[in-house]
Amino acid sequence: MKQRITTLEAIVIVVIAIVPSSLFYIPSFVIQIAKQDGWISVLLALVFSLLLALVIGHVCAEGNRQPLLKWLQNRFGKMISTGLGLVLCVYYFVASVVIVRQFSNFMSEQALLTTPMVMLAGIIVLVSVYIASQGIESLARVIFIVFLFFTFFVGFNMVLIWGQLDFNQFLPFIESPPSDHVEAMLMPLGCLSEIAVLLLIMPYLEKPESSIKVAIWGTAISGTIFMLVTMVTIAVFGTKIIGAISYPAFAAIGTVEIGQFIERVDVFLISAWTASMFAQVSIFTFGFFQLTEQTFKITPHFSHYAAGGIFILANALFAWPSNVVVAEFSYTTLTIYFLLNNYAVCMLIWIGLRLTKHKAMPSLEGL
């Protein structure tokens, strides 16, 4: 049976692949560097990311509905396609491990304080691997429902917090020098570069010609969410105490009260965000399994999913000695890795396609 997803489902997959875990660090990162102009840094990152989105959209439009590595092998040869497959395998594995650990850290620090980390991470991996093993159609439907849930409560909390916003916190306007904006742009650029997940889901699009639309809209929606959350964080807390708050985006929503009897309205947003984190981990584990299958010619099997899940879990638990080290890694090494991997790989594929245009296949091939 040929699995297919709609254009809207593909856009939602891209957004969920980018947004949930990025809300941990982006507001704090850009505000500490660019101060009250942090939202401008995010806007600039969005503009530059749209250029990558165009490149990826055009690359995917040439995919002929073939699995990524099979298509690249036809164009570049077996050696190059296998090399790219290994690079992407490592990328999706690292991304899965990092997101599982970030999610586990948040839950252990903010919600389930006495639950062992191994239990939290184990449940996250188990659920995500199961969702990923069900195929792209099931994954897309689950993610679409989660996205509706997430979007509703983000909007709901934005409305509730409106009365606590202090727009004077944005003054003086455009005070940060260009060098600060360049530095502050790095993390949003790295996160938005995860638009590259479109390379994996392109064979399943009902309308292959819609890949450019998916890339543009997925990037635009994700960047807009980053910008709005950053602006709300600035308007609630200002710029001086951000460094002392572990998760400023969630803390800002936590200030909402209704009358004298309803507090912690942020529990609704955190519930929706938790579901989105499970969906995000599922996307990257799906990518990891797809790439290992294509690179090493593995037939999908329970043992493959079990071994991959255990490998992800073990690294998530033991790769970093503490939560502080995880945060430092996310601010520095991970951002650079995302930038180099996604931008470099996508640009190399785009250049290679231009050089091997004579090998392009004119007809679509079904999965």
Side-chain angles (χ1 to χ4, degrees):
M1 179 179 178
K2 299 177 181 178
Q3 296 196 0
R4 293 285 181 258
I5 58 175
T6 65
T7 300
L8 182 58
E9 288 174 335
I11 292 172
V12 170
I13 288 175
V14 169
V15 173
I16 294 298
I18 296 172
V19 171
S21 63
S22 303
L23 296 181
F24 284 132
Y25 303 112
I26 283 182
S28 177
F29 182 83
V30 299
I31 294 170
Q32 289 187 65
I33 296 172
K35 309 303 180 185
Q36 68 273 11
D37 293 331
W39 66 275
I40 300 177
S41 300
V42 177
L43 178 60
L44 293 173
L46 171 58
V47 172
F48 282 103
S49 296
L50 287 172
L51 298 177
L52 175 66
L54 281 172
V55 171
I56 293 179
H58 282 287
V59 168
C60 293
E62 300 182 37
N64 294 316
R65 272 191 180 155
Q66 297 179 91
L68 177 63
L69 296 188
K70 180 181 178 182
W71 169 49
L72 294 181
Q73 182 175 335
N74 292 335
R75 297 293 289 269
F76 304 149
K78 186 175 182 179
M79 183 177 296
I80 294 178
S81 66
T82 301
L84 287 171
L86 291 172
V87 170
L88 292 173
C89 276
V90 172
Y91 168 74
Y92 279 92
F93 170 73
V94 170
S96 299
V97 169
V98 171
I99 297 169
V100 169
R101 181 58 184 264
Q102 290 173 340
F103 189 13
S104 303
N105 287 353
F106 178 86
M107 297 304 293
S108 66
E109 293 174 5
Q110 302 294 316
L112 304 173
L113 306 183
T114 60
T115 303
M117 180 74 74
V118 65
M119 290 296 297
L120 292 172
I123 292 171
I124 293 167
V125 171
L126 180 64
V127 172
S128 302
V129 170
Y130 174 76
I131 295 173
S133 68
Q134 300 306 298
I136 190 66
E137 286 187 352
S138 298
L139 179 64
R141 294 190 187 105
V142 169
I143 290 174
F144 187 76
I145 294 172
V146 167
F147 177 75
L148 293 178
F149 186 48
F150 177 78
T151 304
F152 173 79
F153 282 109
V154 167
F156 177 66
N157 280 273
M158 289 289 187
V159 171
L160 292 179
I161 205 173
W162 182 261
Q164 302 189 47
L165 303 182
D166 180 5
F167 294 99
N168 291 322
Q169 302 279 19
F170 293 101
L171 301 176
F173 186 59
I174 313 184
E175 183 184 45
S176 300
S179 58
D180 285 350
H181 284 299
V182 171
E183 183 180 355
M185 284 170 54
L186 292 178
M187 179 171 281
L189 273 174
C191 294
L192 288 170
S193 72
E194 292 175 13
I195 180 66
V197 73
L198 182 57
L199 290 171
L200 280 181
I201 64 176
M202 66 172 180
Y204 306 101
L205 290 175
E206 278 185 349
K207 300 177 180 178
E209 66 276 8
S210 69
S211 57
I212 297 176
K213 182 189 298 185
V214 173
I216 295 296
W217 276 106
T219 304
I221 293 171
S222 301
T224 301
I225 292 173
F226 290 160
M227 188 169 63
L228 289 175
V229 171
T230 301
M231 293 178 74
V232 167
T233 305
I234 294 171
V236 172
F237 293 121
T239 61
K240 295 182 180 179
I241 65 171
I242 292 297
I245 304 174
S246 299
Y247 304 104
F250 297 96
I253 301 298
T255 62
V256 174
E257 296 181 5
I258 302 177
Q260 302 296 320
F261 56 92
I262 297 181
E263 299 180 352
R264 295 308 304 267
V265 181
D266 58 315
V267 70
F268 296 112
L269 177 61
I270 291 177
S271 298
W273 172 85
T274 299
S276 72
M277 282 297 295
F278 277 107
Q280 186 181 27
V281 179
S282 299
I283 293 170
F284 283 94
T285 52
F286 173 81
F288 174 62
F289 291 132
Q290 285 286 301
L291 286 163
T292 51
E293 290 167 11
Q294 294 179 33
T295 303
F296 301 105
K297 312 301 181 186
I298 298 174
T299 302
H301 190 268
F302 171 79
S303 59
H304 177 210
Y305 297 121
I310 292 172
F311 194 38
I312 291 171
L313 175 61
N315 279 272
L317 290 172
F318 302 114
W320 299 276
S322 68
N323 294 353
V324 174
V325 177
V326 176
E328 292 176 352
F329 176 81
S330 300
Y331 278 122
T332 54
T333 307
L334 185 64
T335 296
I336 296 171
Y337 178 60
F338 279 176
L339 287 170
L340 291 177
N341 188 90
N342 289 332
Y343 284 102
V345 169
C346 291
M347 289 305 298
L348 286 173
I349 291 176
W350 183 78
I351 293 170
L353 292 175
R354 303 282 74 74
L355 296 176
T356 60
K357 199 170 183 178
H358 61 283
K359 295 183 180 181
M361 299 178 66
S363 60
L364 293 178
E365 290 188 11
L367 255 64

